[in-house]
Amino acid sequence: MKKFNITIAGGGSTFTPGIILMLLDHLEDFPIDTIKLYDNDGDRQQTIADACKILLSERAPGVKLLASTDPKTAFENVDFVMAHIRVGKYAMREQDEKIPLKHGVVGQETCGPGGISYGMRSITGVLEIVDYMEQYSPDAWMLNYSNPAAIVAEATRKLRPHSKILNICDMPIGIEELMATNIGLKSRKEMVVKYYGLNHFGWWTDIRDKSGNDLMPSIIKHVEQFGYSTDTGSDIEQEASWNDTFKKARDVQALDKDTLPNTYLKYYFFPDYVVEHSNKDYTRANEVMAGREKFVFGECQKIIAQGTAKGTELTIDEHASYIVDLARAIAFNTKERMLMIVENKGAISNFEPTAMVEIPCLVGSEGPEPLSVGEIPRFQKSLMEQQVGVEKLTVEAYEEQSYQKLWQALTLSRTVPSASVAKDILDDLIEANKEYWPELK
Ligand code: NAD
Ligand code: G6P
Ligand code: MN
């Protein structure tokens, strides 16, 4: 079998070690020759790279690893670019969350003003990586999960319409794992799902087992009582904020009893609740810096100091195996059914054809083939129209360097109560993002 070369863009990400371990676990069905790490922060990446080199030498000596900040070295001769960059890193995530909160508005990484702010930074970084890939490995595919995926996907649709970039999110996968566990299945792969929406803004309409038995009633019954949490009352994650999100899915689901919601809808349906339950001085960014970032970099430093990865607590991100599924679908034309963020083009028949929607697709060597969704109900359609307006206006604002359009985007977000609050938040965000956003006129 051919051995693939992969670039991980955002090599210094907290997710890189888990993804490398996950790739190593799948070498039999997805053989790898070389993994290259690329990051524009060489120091941050070096710690991850040095630790992963030791780990690879012990667990998969045949797989080569190199790390570079030089685009040519990092992007030439590769088959796939797996991208998870965070432009502005956690320092700017913290601003995205804290600035809106200061104005009494939801402060979240990908939803509302925080997502818009992050989007205005991410577009430049993601386009740069697409361009490096096309320059140095024109046949490669980019599997992108850099956030905010909705805005990034709209930007690449519009500004790089012919590039081989696939945008994907792990939230539906994570929720499907919880659903499967909660109704006693071994794996989400025992379920065949119908789902539609925008990224971080969607609904399951049908879930069946492989024999066609309807699983929706039992999953809905569970969600009506416990949200996506287990019924033992025990917490799923270490972190309080995620447990709250999974539980809150119960209230989110109550808005439409026939479907099952993406957890991110809580920010749009219950913004007042979210703000009340946020700490203006300690947001998710602080939680992640004190938790995942400290842990991952601490483990890497231990590996480097000890010269061995034996006994490390770094674990496989098995949860990210959808990335291998996606790469295999393209490499081997498997036609796997996966949720992808693609241009609507009539798949949702009563919705904007150029919207980037998240829907089931069959993925093969030509890329994703969207499955038809048909008509969607007024409630979801109206919400999605408003949100897609936010996303498109953000990309237009980026492209045209338009203050006016970004103000409109913020005003249109369901999370923002008025145009005057939108303007106050915008002015603070401009100040905070000086280094990253295009200058607005
Ligand atoms: P992180 O800050 O630990 O890692 C991001 C890395 O990207 C950093 O090392 C940073 O230096 C690098 N970077 C920033 N700008 C860059 C650029 N222009 N070129 C190259 N490298 C650049 O962040 P993290 O928490 O590990 O998350 C990484 C990304 O993955 C984020 O965008 C996050 O939102 C995303 N993510 C997405 C999903 C999904 O469902 N789509 C799931 C998990 C994480
Ligand atoms: C989910 C979402 C991602 C998001 C992540 C945030 O996985 O699908 O898009 O980046 O959650 O996680 P964090 O732990 O960084 O808050
Ligand atoms: Mn996501």
Side-chain angles (χ1 to χ4, degrees), residues 103-136:
H103 296 275
V105 170
V106 169
Q108 213 280 327
E109 177 192 21
T110 63
C111 302
I116 293 170
S117 171
Y118 187 12
M120 290 289 285
R121 294 196 302 277
S122 270
I123 296 172
T124 309
V126 171
L127 293 182
E128 192 176 77
I129 286 173
V130 173
D131 293 344
Y132 289 148
M133 177 181 88
E134 296 196 331
Q135 183 179 355
Y136 297 115

Side-chain angles (χ1 to χ4, degrees), residues 147 169-171 199-200:
N147 266 321
C169 168
D170 69 355
M171 197 70 244
N199 178 242
H200 290 184

Side-chain angles (χ1 to χ4, degrees), residues 86 93 109 147 169-171 200 242 264 284 288 292:
R86 180 185 292 286
R93 176 176 180 174
E109 177 192 21
N147 266 321
C169 168
D170 69 355
M171 197 70 244
H200 290 184
W242 274 109
Y264 277 94
R284 178 69 191 152
V288 173
R292 186 172 68 236

Side-chain angles (χ1 to χ4, degrees), residues 5 21 93 100 138 155 159 190 231 235 241 289 308 339 348 363 394 401:
N5 295 331
L21 284 167
R93 176 176 180 174
L159 305 174
E190 291 176 41
D231 57 6
D235 284 343
S241 52
M289 285 186 272
T308 175
L339 296 184
I348 302 174
V363 188
T394 303
Q401 296 176 248

Side-chain angles (χ1 to χ4, degrees), residues 58-173:
E58 292 174 349
R59 301 196 192 172
V63 177
K64 301 188 261 305
L65 182 106
L66 74 85
S68 180
T69 55
D70 170 48
K72 182 171 186 293
T73 312
F75 289 90
E76 68 185 356
N77 190 27
V78 296
D79 303 290
F80 292 99
V81 174
M82 299 177 176
H84 54 203
I85 64 167
R86 180 185 292 286
V87 177
K89 295 180 275 194
Y90 293 126
M92 288 309 298
R93 176 176 180 174
E94 194 178 355
Q95 296 295 310
D96 292 344
E97 293 168 348
K98 289 186 177 171
I99 290 171
L101 272 177
K102 198 177 88 189
H103 296 275
V105 170
V106 169
Q108 213 280 327
E109 177 192 21
T110 63
C111 302
I116 293 170
S117 171
Y118 187 12
M120 290 289 285
R121 294 196 302 277
S122 270
I123 296 172
T124 309
V126 171
L127 293 182
E128 192 176 77
I129 286 173
V130 173
D131 293 344
Y132 289 148
M133 177 181 88
E134 296 196 331
Q135 183 179 355
Y136 297 115
S137 286
D139 295 328
W141 283 86
M142 176 163 161
L143 316 183
N144 181 55
Y145 39 104
S146 311
N147 266 321
I151 291 170
V152 166
E154 169 62 10
T156 52
R157 179 194 74 81
K158 207 167 175 206
L159 305 174
R160 296 294 183 277
H162 304 296
S163 56
K164 293 188 348 194
I165 170 168
L166 300 176
N167 295 291
I168 190 161
C169 168
D170 69 355
M171 197 70 244
I173 291 160

